[in-house]
Amino acid sequence: MSGCIAITFAFQGQIKWALAWIVIGAAFDFFDGMSARLLKVSSPIGKELDSLADVVTFGVAPSTMLFYTLKVVEYPAVLEGAREILPYAAFVMAAFSALRLAKFNLDERQAMGFIGMPTPANALFWGSVTVGYTGLLASSDFMPFFLIALMLFTSWLLISEMPMFALKFKHWGIKDRMNIIKYAFVAFCAVALCIAQVAAIAVIIIMYIIISLAVCRK
C-alpha cells in the first residue's frame, strides 16, 4: 500500500510526499522482518508477497520519482527533445530492483548480510537525491545525463556481488566487532539526519556502501 501511494504522489509531482511514503514502507519492511525473526514465523507465500511489495515500494516508486525529476530539470537547448524520451529510462531501475529481489529469495548467503545493495537503501538514496538536492539538480543543463549514469550505476550495485552489512543482530553485546560498527553507523545516521534532514539520507547510503566495502570484504 505504501508503495502505491508513493507512486501516485510521484506522478503528481509531489515527490516529498512520495519519499515520505517510501520511508513509511521501509519502516514496515524493517519491522515485519524483525517481527518474523523474533517470533520465528515464516512461510514461502509470505516471502514472495514481501518481495512483490518491495518491488512496488523500493523499485517502481523511486523510479517514478526519478521519472518526474527528469521531466522537469533543465536540458541543453539542442537536446530539449530528449525530455520526451529520456525520463522513461528511470524505469530501468525498477527492473533491476525486481531482479535483485528475485536473486535475494534464491541466495542462501544473505541470512545475516546482503550481497549487492538492498532495494530499500537504493530507494531512500534516490528519494533523498530528488527531494533534498533540488538546487544541485538545477545547477547544470547536463544534470539529466548525470542522473541517468548514476541510476545505471546504482542499478548495477543492486545486482552486484558486493557484500554489505545488515542491521541484524544475533546478540546485542559490544564484544562483537560488527555490532560496534552497526551501533556507530546508527549513531552517525541519527546525527546526520538531525543536521541535514532529507539531504542526509543520500550521504548515509554512500557511507553505508563505503563501510560495507571496508568491513565486509570476502
Side-chain angles (χ1 to χ4, degrees):
M1 181 182 75
S2 299
C4 294
I5 297 173
I7 291 167
T8 301
F9 277 121
F11 273 128
Q12 294 173 352
Q14 300 184 54
I15 55 175
K16 290 183 180 179
W17 278 107
L19 175 57
W21 279 99
I22 288 176
V23 171
I24 291 170
F28 284 142
D29 184 65
F30 179 79
F31 286 109
D32 70 7
M34 178 181 287
S35 300
R37 288 190 294 274
L38 289 173
L39 298 174
K40 297 181 179 179
V41 294
S42 63
S43 68
I45 192 170
K47 187 176 182 180
E48 298 303 324
L49 286 172
D50 182 64
S51 290
L52 288 171
D54 286 353
V55 170
V56 175
T57 305
F58 307 127
V60 181
S63 295
T64 308
M65 294 177 72
L66 180 56
F67 170 83
Y68 174 80
T69 300
L70 289 169
K71 295 281 283 186
V72 298
V73 294
E74 295 297 324
Y75 285 73
V78 295
L79 295 174
E80 183 64 29
R83 187 187 300 277
E84 300 302 318
I85 301 171
L86 196 63
Y88 291 96
F91 293 102
V92 169
M93 184 163 62
F96 274 86
S97 298
L99 179 56
R100 189 271 180 292
L101 289 161
K103 289 180 65 178
F104 178 81
N105 283 351
L106 299 174
D107 194 339
E108 297 179 357
R109 298 173 296 169
Q110 302 190 57
M112 291 301 296
F114 299 113
I115 305 296
M117 185 161 66
T119 53
N122 183 62
L124 291 171
F125 173 81
W126 280 104
S128 175
V129 168
T130 55
V131 173
Y133 293 89
T134 52
L136 180 62
L137 295 177
S139 65
S140 171
D141 290 347
F142 289 92
M143 190 57 65
F145 305 98
F146 171 76
L147 290 173
I148 292 296
L150 183 60
M151 179 274 295
L152 293 174
F153 175 69
T154 60
S155 294
W156 171 79
L157 282 178
L158 288 168
I159 62 167
S160 72
E161 287 293 304
M162 182 187 300
M164 296 186 174
F165 70 91
L167 291 177
K168 299 176 182 178
F169 297 86
K170 290 183 178 178
H171 55 81
W172 302 98
I174 59 172
K175 291 183 178 181
D176 187 316
R177 171 173 169 267
M178 278 306 301
N179 277 10
I180 295 174
I181 291 170
K182 292 173 184 177
Y183 292 140
F185 178 70
V186 170
F188 168 77
C189 293
V191 172
L193 288 169
C194 288
I195 295 173
Q197 301 177 343
V198 171
I201 299 175
V203 177
I204 288 169
I205 300 304
I206 292 171
M207 184 60 66
Y208 169 65
I209 295 169
I210 292 171
I211 294 173
S212 293
L213 282 170
V215 304
C216 298
R217 289 175 294 181
K218 295 180 180 178

